[in-house]
Amino acid sequence: MKNCQISKKSINWLFKNVDLIENRRLQKEVKKALDVDHFFSPHAHEMQCKKGEMGEALIQKWLDDREIPYCTEADIRAKGEGKTPDFVLENPVCIDNLMVNWIESKALFGDYFEHEHYSKKQFREYAEIFGEGMVVYWYGYLEDLPSEGYLVKNYSFFLENIKRKLMSYLIIWYTGESCLNTFEC
């Protein structure tokens, strides 16, 4: 598409509106490519968002089950605040000898690249603003990731059977079903 002098912005728009591609051969090839792209297609992005929502729902359930009061990112943004983690606890909770004030959920594997990217973009600032916190990588993480002012955990901290639920999102991918409001997935 770039060879056809189509801008990157237009390409992204066409990926979401494939039926508007005038060249039928190109339309067919783009549809085929998007159907098999489980990482960068608009559908893949949508599924990544759903996985993120599932992770946040599980943390919320964990907090609610323990009657730990918190504000969500949406609550804090509604007050006009800037950067905020997914959950800010009203009172710190001691976890692994650290007083956790906030929790950030990441529906991905924590490798060095991703962790450094989010440390610069989010985690360090959260620690400065809210104090000590916790980052949850739902698909695991490298054990020796650096962390200053926050813990790094995976799904097992919240529920032992959660991996099966989050890993089975491909079933949802193909069926188009949603399980955000249920823990039966």
Side-chain angles (χ1 to χ4, degrees):
M1 293 177 91
K2 284 185 180 180
N3 288 340
C4 296
Q5 308 303 317
I6 301 173
S7 71
K8 186 175 181 176
K9 184 177 180 180
S10 295
I11 291 171
N12 289 333
W13 186 83
L14 287 170
F15 281 176
K16 295 173 186 171
N17 301 281
V18 178
D19 292 331
L20 298 178
I21 298 174
E22 293 176 12
N23 181 313
R24 294 295 171 206
R25 178 178 171 217
L26 182 58
Q27 183 185 79
K28 181 180 175 183
E29 289 177 5
V30 169
K31 279 184 181 181
K32 186 175 181 179
L34 292 176
D35 283 345
V36 297
D37 183 351
H38 299 293
F39 299 100
F40 300 106
S41 69
H43 188 64
H45 177 73
E46 179 184 339
M47 292 310 302
Q48 182 63 23
C49 289
K50 286 183 181 181
K51 289 190 299 183
E53 290 170 7
M54 288 170 60
E56 289 175 25
L58 292 166
I59 293 172
Q60 191 166 12
K61 181 172 179 6
W62 185 87
L63 291 168
D64 290 343
D65 288 350
R66 285 154 187 78
E67 298 181 358
I68 299 171
Y70 59 88
C71 291
T72 65
E73 180 178 16
D75 297 333
I76 296 168
R77 290 206 178 179
K79 296 176 185 175
E81 300 291 329
K83 281 191 175 183
T84 175
D86 296 318
F87 300 91
V88 175
L89 309 182
E90 287 186 19
N91 302 302
V93 175
C94 187
I95 302 172
D96 293 349
N97 297 317
L98 194 75
M99 295 306 289
V100 172
N101 294 287
W102 55 269
I103 301 173
E104 177 68 16
S105 177
K106 293 295 179 198
L108 47 85
F109 179 81
D111 62 17
Y112 299 119
F113 177 81
E114 293 290 342
H115 187 71
E116 181 58 24
H117 169 75
Y118 285 109
S119 288
K120 287 179 182 176
K121 185 178 169 184
Q122 295 176 322
F123 309 154
R124 291 178 190 146
E125 192 167 341
Y126 296 162
E128 288 175 18
I129 296 169
F130 301 103
E132 298 171 329
M134 180 166 62
V135 175
V136 181
Y137 286 111
W138 288 98
Y139 295 93
Y141 60 91
L142 298 175
E143 292 293 326
D144 59 345
L145 290 179
S147 62
E148 294 180 30
Y150 55 90
L151 295 171
V152 178
K153 295 286 186 182
N154 66 21
Y155 72 91
S156 66
F157 180 80
F158 294 97
L159 293 172
E160 286 302 319
N161 65 351
I162 216 55
K163 185 174 185 180
R164 176 185 58 80
K165 293 175 185 176
L166 288 177
M167 294 298 186
S168 68
Y169 88 96
L170 279 176
I171 294 167
I172 299 162
W173 175 286
Y174 290 112
T175 64
E177 295 177 22
S178 175
C179 64
L180 295 178
N181 297 322
T182 178
F183 295 95
E184 300 296 322
C185 299

